[in-house]
């Protein structure tokens, strides 16, 4: 008698998983919260369901969190019910959506690559709705979303994300203008992405990015100024685009057109670029893997980690522009402790050497594009 085939593990509706993956704790918790919401509202009219949810969240903090997370998960996994669930969420929420914003940030930082297509689309939709509602703290979520747009990646998913976030910024411009850091971070991000979007089929997207960056630079230059000297490098990289060339010339020869408080390019060059800008051009997954290599991998044992990283992030012709972002991050953000420096852990210079010598591009070009920083 043949043994019965193993029972297939049920696939969750939020994250992509295989038969070998353990059930994700976050997904399990969110599914439990969905079950609680459905048990409270099954068979009820919309008004009765809202009354039942409201009564439950008033019982305590735990009940409030469970209902809010259940509705949040339904927004992600049930597109046809998203509008109603978001409305219910805004009605029953008692903490200004703070718990939901924390959970969105957690998913963006830890689970975004594992999200199924529908929940990924719905997550961006939800962020758009939160921006429309001007929820406090949403600017931080948008900056985390910007971080997920990878440089050197012109895959359909990455292009979709770049354009979707840009559409939010364009549609909600008045909201964007209230946050100086969001202005600077979005300009830094899209000035970098413009370089990747020069192919004929991407020119429409590139033009939207150019128009957005010019708008922010012309209207809010002093907020863009907090980027520091890296803004000069970014503008120089796109200065051959006619509209950008005008901004570049004003920066060099007519600085007060940009802002009466701006004295000239030397003011920018003397301002150091914060490491948060350097870090924003790496996705959380890239950042985690680089930090692992610089803190846990022993010198001489790095090849398999480097090969894996190269296969995932540096295997296409377009992805070579990412090397500059990686080198700049290692130089400006990664600062090992004295204990690590004196150990046999893989040194930064070895990773930079690997990034330079495995590129099809000239190392001198990469050094220039990286801004000539010293390690």
């Amino acid at each position: 008698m043949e043994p019965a085939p193993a029972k297939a593990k049920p696939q969750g509706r939020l994250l992509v998983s295989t038969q070998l993956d353990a059930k994700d704790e976050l997904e399990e918790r969110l599914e439990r919260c969905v079950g609680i919401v459905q048990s409270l509202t099954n068979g009820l009219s919309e008004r009765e369901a809202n009354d039942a949810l409201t009564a439950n969240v008033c019982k305590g903090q735990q009940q409030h969190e469970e209902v809010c997370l259940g509705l949040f998960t339904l927004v992600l996994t049930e597109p046809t019910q998203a509008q109603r669930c978001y409305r219910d969420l805004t009605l029953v929420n008692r903490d200004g959506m703070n718990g939901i914003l924390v959970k969105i940030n957690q998913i963006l930082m830890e689970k975004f690559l594992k999200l199924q297509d529908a929940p990924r689309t719905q997550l961006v939709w939800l962020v758009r709705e939160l921006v429309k509602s001007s929820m406090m703290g949403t600017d931080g979520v948008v900056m985390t979303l910007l971080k997920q747009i990878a440089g050197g990646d012109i895959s359909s998913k990455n292009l979709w994300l770049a354009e979707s976030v840009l559409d939010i910024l364009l549609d909600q411009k008045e909201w964007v203008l209230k946050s100086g850091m969001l202005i600077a971070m979005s300009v830094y991000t899209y000035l970098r992405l413009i370089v990747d979007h020069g192919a004929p089929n991407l020119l429409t997207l590139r033009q939207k990015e150019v128009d957005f960056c010019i708008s922010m630079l012309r209207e809010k230059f002093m907020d863009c100024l907090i980027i520091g000297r890296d803004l000069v490098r970014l503008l120089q990289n796109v200065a051959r685009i006619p509209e950008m060339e005008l901004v570049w010339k004003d920066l060099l020869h007519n600085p007060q057109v940009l802002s009466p408080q701006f004295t000239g390019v030397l003011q920018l060059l003397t301002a150091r670029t914060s490491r948060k800008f350097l870090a924003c051009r790496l996705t959380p997954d890239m950042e985690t893997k680089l930090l692992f290599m610089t803190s846990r991998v022993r010198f001489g044992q790095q090849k398999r980690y480097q090969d894996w990283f190269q296969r995932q992030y540096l295997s296409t012709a377009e992805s070579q522009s990412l090397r500059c972002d990686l080198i700049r991050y290692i130089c400006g953000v990664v600062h090992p402790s004295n204990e690590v420096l004196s150990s046999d852990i893989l040194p930064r210079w070895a990773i930079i050497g690997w990034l330079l010598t495995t590129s099809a591009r000239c190392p001198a070009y990469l050094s220039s594009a990286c801004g000539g920083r010293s390690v």
Side-chain angles (χ1 to χ4, degrees), residues 193-318:
L193 294 175
I194 286 169
V195 177
D196 295 332
H197 299 159
N201 63 314
L202 301 178
L203 291 183
T204 302
L205 171 58
R206 190 180 80 167
Q207 190 59 50
K208 286 170 67 174
E209 294 168 337
V210 168
D211 292 343
F212 170 75
C213 290
I214 289 176
S215 170
M216 293 296 109
L217 288 163
R218 293 286 185 191
E219 296 175 34
K220 288 286 186 178
F221 186 78
M222 293 310 291
D223 288 314
C224 298
L225 198 67
I226 64 176
I227 294 173
R229 63 174 69 103
D230 246 25
L231 181 58
V232 178
R233 177 187 59 79
L234 289 165
L235 287 172
Q236 188 176 34
N237 285 346
V238 298
R240 291 187 180 182
I241 298 172
E243 302 95 324
M244 283 296 185
E245 186 178 12
L246 297 176
V247 176
W248 178 246
K249 287 180 177 178
D250 283 341
L251 182 77
L252 296 178
H253 307 299
N254 200 10
Q256 295 213 317
V257 169
L258 297 172
S259 172
Q261 290 82 43
F262 181 48
T263 58
V265 71
L266 186 61
Q267 183 179 349
L268 261 176
L269 291 174
T270 54
R272 182 180 179 183
T273 296
S274 167
R275 64 179 63 184
K276 70 180 67 173
F277 291 106
L278 304 179
C280 85
R281 291 315 327 96
L282 270 64
T283 66
D285 188 62
M286 293 178 196
E287 195 169 4
T288 298
K289 288 175 171 57
L290 272 185
L291 291 175
F292 177 81
M293 281 197 277
T294 56
S295 63
R296 303 287 294 277
V297 177
R298 292 182 174 179
F299 191 31
Q301 299 178 359
Q302 70 269 25
K303 188 177 185 305
R304 63 172 177 159
Y305 300 102
Q306 291 173 344
D307 289 347
W308 188 93
F309 193 97
Q310 183 150 344
R311 281 195 304 272
Q312 185 166 6
Y313 294 116
L314 299 169
S315 60
T316 65
E318 300 81 18

Side-chain angles (χ1 to χ4, degrees), residues 70-89:
L71 291 169
F72 162 69
T73 309
L74 286 169
V75 168
L76 298 188
T77 58
E78 300 287 349
T80 58
Q81 300 179 37
Q83 196 71 56
R84 178 176 60 81
C85 291
Y86 177 69
R87 182 201 63 201
D88 290 344
L89 180 59

